[in-house]
Amino acid sequence: MGGRRGLSSGLVRIGVLAALACVARGFTGTRVASGHNGMRQARSALRMDAEPEPARTESAKRALRRELMSRDTFYRGARPFEKEVHERVTERMTDQFKGKLVEKMRESQQQVTLGEGSNQVTFILAKDYGFCWGVERSIELAWAAREAFPDKRMHLTNELIHNPQVNDLLGDMDVRFIEKTERGKRFEDVKDGDVVILPAFGASLEEMELLDSKDVKVVDTTCPWVTKVWNTVDKHVRRDMTSLVHGKWAHEESIATASMAENYIIVKDIDEAALVCKYILGEPDAMSREEFLEYFKNAVSPGFDPDKHLKRIGLANQTTMYKKETSAISKLLERTMIQKFGPETASESYAAFDTICDATQVRQDAIQEMCENAKMGEALDMILVVGGWDSSNTGHLLEIPVHEGLTAYHINAASCIKPDNSIEHRTVDGRIETTPNFLPLDRPARIGVTSGASTPDSSVEDVLSAVMMLKKLSAVAA
């Protein structure tokens, strides 16, 4: 039951998938209605779960994905290895990632005060922060794989999660990261008998199929929230809709999600969504077809034709995006499609699901609440946002206080806090900057703290310790 398949079975599979593809593409045609009335009546029909969907043939890509995941060499699910392995790994994870001071803050109404006089710092912890269930699950599966296959060469197709501490830990376990080059990933480094781990963001269907052609074991740590988005894209395919993905076209998760679609376009924000809507409506300042294809050349499916593929749209998203922006994009698309095609065919021209991860949402809500409290009297000198610089969900946590006019710094490790009282941090637009004299040393300070869904408590605790060390050093110098 290995990954290799004979020629005859491969041809049979190709023939079946080709037939399924023809059926999937057979649902064509869009009725265009005139008039712009009935907006309110149409809205209830715009959600794909508003009424039962008629039974349809499974899409070719979904069929292939299910086939690949059914292999005996494909390990997935909550605990695919022996119970003792998972229990041992869970215990080690607790020891590795816990933070005693962070635990104390949770038990003390989310805050703690350390130091005295001008050296005093009050840390206020967001109500929801840090490791989410999906990330913990991904780490446990990867760690358990190392325990289950101690003598196997092991590879990761990408960073497991966007956190340097966790990825360094896996590196110390001799888990190799598949090298990226200008021509793509070096899968030729994966040899027969090796083990390959798929990260929390998922892997593209093409990568999964490539690994299936090799004699390897695959350990799938994809977050279930990501696969929920893939299931939404499957519904788009069955309804002959183009998937408009709110995400970043170069992000691993968006790449994986796009690979599950037949036709797609990826927009990073409301501004790019507005460009799409202007084109659909043919507004005077809309881009030409050539300009449109040039602008979105990295963010559309092969053979994408905006005049053909923007008549029926289903919304999906990278799970870590800013939910308020996804909601705004959904409303903009809704208005656009009703204006273009009329309310009578609203459910045929546009569909949306809420696929923002719960963990992403509650962390965004928590820092929003912290910002509101700070503006209503519980003033903060700053908010520290702890998490990997390439972590999308952490970056969006930074956006909230910055947009509220508060001082906030996104740091990826305690080492960003320097002995000279400067702080190295990532800005909202992605630049890495160093700000001098960030911490008030001549008076007590109040600091809000949150962390991304891929950040362990131990990383947060290291940051708090670095802040207190600066205060102590200033007292000695004085």
Side-chain angles (χ1 to χ4, degrees):
M1 297 295 290
R4 296 184 184 278
R5 291 292 178 272
L7 178 61
S8 59
S9 62
L11 290 174
V12 169
R13 185 179 72 184
I14 291 171
V16 171
L17 295 182
L20 288 172
C22 290
V23 173
R25 293 189 178 96
F27 298 97
T28 58
T30 302
R31 290 186 292 142
V32 179
S34 60
H36 302 274
N37 298 323
M39 177 88 72
R40 184 175 300 171
Q41 293 89 331
R43 281 180 178 149
S44 63
L46 287 171
R47 287 184 56 85
M48 292 176 67
D49 51 354
E51 58 185 53
E53 185 176 303
R56 297 198 177 155
T57 304
E58 185 175 46
S59 73
K61 289 191 174 184
R62 177 178 172 84
L64 175 57
R65 188 169 80 239
R66 289 166 65 91
E67 180 187 349
L68 298 178
M69 290 179 172
S70 68
R71 305 278 196 243
D72 289 345
T73 53
F74 198 99
Y75 295 79
R76 63 191 298 261
R79 293 195 162 190
F81 304 111
E82 292 182 1
K83 179 181 178 181
E84 294 74 15
V85 170
H86 287 281
E87 289 177 346
R88 188 164 61 245
V89 168
T90 299
E91 184 176 345
R92 291 177 181 176
M93 284 176 60
T94 300
D95 293 338
Q96 180 76 30
F97 298 130
K98 69 181 179 181
K100 292 182 179 179
L101 182 56
V102 175
E103 287 181 12
K104 181 179 178 181
M105 293 172 73
R106 281 202 302 267
E107 296 167 358
S108 306
Q109 297 183 326
Q110 301 299 111
Q111 70 177 50
V112 66
T113 298
L114 305 174
E116 298 179 351
S118 61
N119 291 333
Q120 187 179 92
V121 179
T122 298
F123 294 105
I124 298 91
L125 186 65
K127 289 183 179 179
D128 288 286
Y129 67 94
F131 264 0
C132 67
W133 168 78
V135 163
E136 288 184 332
R137 173 183 178 277
S138 181
I139 297 170
E140 180 190 330
L141 288 171
W143 199 331
R146 180 74 283 177
E147 294 269 327
F149 305 114
D151 302 322
K152 294 284 188 179
R153 278 176 25 114
M154 193 165 289
H155 310 265
L156 257 169
T157 62
N158 223 311
E159 290 184 337
L160 184 74
I161 60 174
H162 285 153
N163 180 270
Q165 179 182 348
V166 172
N167 291 311
D168 288 347
L169 176 68
L170 292 173
D172 292 341
M173 295 180 185
D174 198 26
V175 177
R176 308 157 187 246
F177 293 85
I178 294 177
E179 183 184 353
K180 294 180 182 178
T181 68
E182 292 182 357
R183 297 192 304 169
K185 297 177 184 176
R186 289 179 53 89
F187 280 101
E188 59 267 31
D189 293 340
V190 178
K191 307 300 183 184
D192 287 355
D194 289 355
V195 177
V196 181
I197 300 172
L198 308 184
F201 318 107
S204 71
L205 190 58
E206 292 78 13
E207 288 184 353
M208 292 168 65
E209 194 169 15
L210 173 63
L211 293 172
D212 185 62
S213 70
K214 294 175 174 286
D215 185 16
V216 299
K217 299 180 186 298
V218 175
V219 179
D220 182 14
T221 79
T222 304
C223 174
W225 274 97
V226 174
T227 56
K228 178 182 177 182
V229 179
W230 295 355
N231 292 336
T232 296
V233 169
D234 291 336
K235 291 181 173 67
H236 298 165
V237 174
R238 290 202 299 272
R239 295 180 61 171
D240 194 32
M241 285 180 158
T242 293
S243 294
L244 187 146
V245 181
H246 177 210
K248 302 170 183 177
W249 64 263
H251 191 282
E252 302 94 317
E253 183 186 327
S254 288
I255 292 171
T257 296
S259 76
M260 307 300 168
E262 290 293 336
N263 300 296
Y264 67 83
I265 180 169
I266 303 172
V267 298
K268 69 178 180 181
D269 53 29
I270 189 71
D271 293 334
E272 289 196 346
L275 294 176
V276 174
C277 291
K278 284 177 180 288
Y279 189 91
I280 292 171
L281 295 174
E283 294 185 354
D285 58 343
M287 291 186 285
S288 68
R289 183 177 185 278
E290 291 71 23
E291 290 170 336
F292 188 96
L293 289 173
E294 175 62 25
Y295 183 91
F296 287 106
K297 63 183 179 182
N298 294 314
V300 293
S301 48
F304 187 87
D305 182 351
D307 296 327
K308 174 184 177 183
H309 294 130
L310 294 178
K311 292 181 178 180
R312 294 165 61 86
I313 294 174
L315 179 64
N317 61 271
Q318 188 179 309
T319 58
T320 55
M321 300 303 283
Y322 189 26
K323 182 169 184 174
K324 287 185 177 180
E325 187 167 41
T326 297
S327 298
I329 289 172
S330 181
K331 290 177 182 177
L332 177 61
L333 289 169
E334 172 189 325
R335 292 195 301 269
T336 298
M337 299 306 278
I338 290 176
Q339 182 178 343
K340 177 69 174 179
F341 301 111
E344 297 86 356
T345 57
S347 63
E348 297 177 17
S349 60
Y350 179 64
F353 261 120
D354 178 6
T355 52
I356 288 288
C357 165
D358 281 348
T360 298
Q361 181 58 38
V362 296
R363 281 151 185 75
Q364 291 174 359
D365 290 344
I367 195 169
Q368 183 67 55
E369 181 180 349
M370 178 182 286
C371 293
E372 291 170 358
N373 291 339
K375 295 173 74 173
M376 292 175 60
E378 299 179 14
L380 298 173
D381 289 290
M382 71 193 75
I383 294 176
L384 295 178
V385 181
V386 186
W389 279 336
D390 51 359
S391 166
S392 178
N393 79 85
T394 309
H396 290 302
L397 293 179
L398 175 70
E399 292 174 7
I400 295 172
V402 169
H403 291 164
E404 292 289 343
L406 302 178
T407 299
Y409 302 107
H410 175 186
I411 60 177
N412 71 347
S415 57
C416 290
I417 297 173
K418 309 299 182 182
D420 63 355
N421 195 24
S422 64
I423 186 168
E424 186 180 22
H425 60 100
R426 180 188 179 277
T427 65
V428 168
D429 59 7
R431 290 176 290 113
I432 307 300
E433 294 184 348
T434 299
T435 298
N437 303 316
F438 83 101
L439 180 66
L441 300 177
D442 58 347
R443 61 173 177 81
R446 286 176 55 83
I447 300 175
V449 181
T450 190
S451 55
S454 54
T455 306
D457 287 358
S458 54
S459 292
V460 176
E461 185 141 331
D462 289 344
V463 168
L464 306 187
S465 298
V467 170
M468 293 311 301
M469 181 58 68
L470 271 185
K471 283 285 193 177
K472 292 177 182 178
L473 289 174
S474 69
V476 172

